Amino acid sequence: MATPLIIDTDTAQDDCVALLVGLLDPEADLRAITMVAGNVGFERQVRNAFLTSNVAGRLGEVPVYLGCRGPLVREWVSAENVHGDGSGGLDMDVSGLATESEHAVDALVRMAAEHPGELSIVAIGPLTNIAMALAKDPSFVDNVKSLYVMGGSNNGRGNITAAAEFNFYVDPEAAKSVFAAGFDVTVVPWDPLTLRRAVFDQERLDRIAALGTPLAAFFTRVCAATLEFDRTVGIEGTTHPDSLTAALLLHPELVRKVSPYHVDVETAGELTRGYSAMSWGVHGLEANARVVEEIDAEAFYEYLVALLSRPTEPNRPIRGL
Ligand code: RIB
Ligand code: CA
């Protein structure tokens, strides 16, 4: 049976690829896309989600819910310097397309309560919506089967500051509350896992570009700005933490090592806002998460190649593709 899931996303670049995983992998039963403030402007993120559904040939099939437009207590911080508009300048006619009227937080709470213990959530943006759902309904934590979180670094470097990864930096209070809540949570960190195992170098990108499908052309465009940015910070390729997170939920066989950790997030530090303290069992702290430490990187790349090879027919013309 396909895995029922919701993807909570700040849709830009690899979030788009993660949505493709949810939309196209036969193992996925994607019930909803919930939007949270993060990478780029909120309306742009929604447009990017529609663009992604469109290139997958599934426009209008999976409902898009609008969630929190900013972090719990802080100002929004964008990653537009990294991702541009998040879709490489692609655009489409969105007339007649509608997002759901129910707020994403309400939808998360409702859908989890309707199917207790069945629904998984892949959270690949700041954790604001998830924290709000918790605040709204304490039984949310038990109703959710599993929560897969892209965020933090496992005793490694950050990306938005030396100490912090973007998703946790943007809303550290939300991230802290999520780890304290008692979810069955699996974490896909930025460093070392993403930086060592989910970066596609030029050769790999060329192979994807040569696939010749609308999905491959879409992938190449949405990743272009990030590729340029990455080179300026010494990363030789595009980074794929979000699509990796979605893929690991659906294909646990890609995981080679996952370990119990106590994860907490810094909210008060002067230099360490959003730092993820991941304690590996020797500090007297009870584990509250599993952290993915190693994957089959080759198999993950081949998985995305196979996904992007699919000959989809976009529902509407995509400008720039
Ligand atoms: O730090 C990586 C995360 O922030 C990913 O979710 C990606 O979307 C990014 O901007
Ligand atoms: Ca993201």
Side-chain angles (χ1 to χ4, degrees):
M1 199 189 79
T3 301
L5 77 150
I6 294 175
I7 300 185
D8 188 70
T9 167
D10 53 342
T11 315
Q13 196 251 345
D14 197 43
D15 289 77
C16 299
V17 187
L19 287 185
L20 291 178
V21 168
L23 288 161
L24 293 171
D25 187 325
E27 294 297 322
D29 172 9
L30 183 60
R31 303 272 175 93
I33 295 166
T34 53
M35 195 59 61
V36 67
N39 280 324
V40 301
F42 199 84
E43 302 310 330
R44 185 67 240 179
Q45 291 182 169
V46 175
R47 232 178 156 85
N48 293 344
F50 280 138
L51 265 169
T52 309
S53 302
N54 183 23
V55 75
R58 297 203 56 197
L59 191 60
E61 288 181 37
V62 177
V64 178
Y65 294 87
L66 307 185
C68 299
R69 289 168 182 269
L72 294 182
V73 294
R74 300 178 190 248
E75 291 296 310
W76 169 58
V77 179
S78 96
E80 280 154 334
N81 61 320
V82 179
H83 303 302
D85 68 2
S87 61
L90 298 176
D91 224 334
M92 63 183 271
D93 174 15
V94 291
S95 58
L97 294 175
T99 54
E100 301 301 309
S101 55
E102 187 181 19
H103 193 278
V105 172
D106 294 326
L108 283 161
V109 166
R110 175 181 56 76
M111 293 172 81
E114 280 170 358
H115 306 282
E118 286 179 22
L119 202 56
S120 293
I121 298 174
V122 174
I124 53 176
L127 289 168
T128 321
N129 286 344
I130 309 301
M132 285 296 285
L134 264 179
K136 192 157 184 164
D137 177 8
S139 66
F140 180 64
V141 66
D142 294 319
N143 288 338
V144 170
K145 181 180 184 198
S146 65
L147 175 65
Y148 274 60
V149 170
M150 190 284 125
S153 281
N154 184 357
N155 298 289
R157 56 177 62 190
N159 52 15
I160 187 158
T161 67
E165 177 281 331
F166 178 78
N167 289 341
F168 287 6
Y169 178 87
V170 172
D171 201 341
E173 285 76 16
K176 188 177 180 69
S177 78
V178 167
F179 284 103
F183 283 105
D184 180 314
V185 56
T186 301
V187 183
V188 174
W190 178 256
D191 188 34
L193 189 73
T194 301
L195 285 180
R196 293 197 192 149
R197 296 289 181 251
V199 175
F200 296 169
D201 63 12
Q202 194 60 55
E203 199 182 320
R204 290 182 160 195
L205 295 172
D206 289 346
R207 191 174 149 217
I208 289 174
L211 294 172
T213 59
L215 290 173
F218 178 81
F219 175 94
T220 302
R221 285 297 293 266
V222 304
C223 290
T226 314
L227 178 61
E228 225 168 276
F229 172 85
D230 284 350
R231 287 183 174 139
T232 68
V233 294
I235 301 171
E236 280 310 313
T238 56
T239 46
H240 298 282
D242 298 332
S243 49
L244 175 61
T245 307
L248 294 185
L249 166 69
L250 303 172
H251 299 281
E253 70 277 9
L254 292 173
V255 176
R256 287 225 173 122
K257 185 179 180 199
V258 59
S259 309
Y261 276 80
H262 180 88
V263 179
D264 202 347
V265 178
E266 179 61 78
T267 57
E270 192 187 340
L271 302 173
T272 51
R273 162 184 170 173
Y275 168 74
S276 50
M278 297 197 183
S279 174
W280 54 93
V282 297
H283 307 113
L285 298 166
E286 202 180 316
N288 60 358
R290 286 182 295 277
V291 178
V292 181
E293 300 199 80
E294 186 58 282
I295 60 155
D296 184 338
E298 199 53 40
F300 169 59
Y301 172 70
E302 292 300 337
Y303 164 79
L304 281 188
V305 168
L307 192 89
L308 298 170
S309 303
R310 293 168 68 114
T312 58
E313 283 182 24
N315 305 83
R316 296 185 181 189
I318 298 178
R319 289 192 285 279
L321 198 64

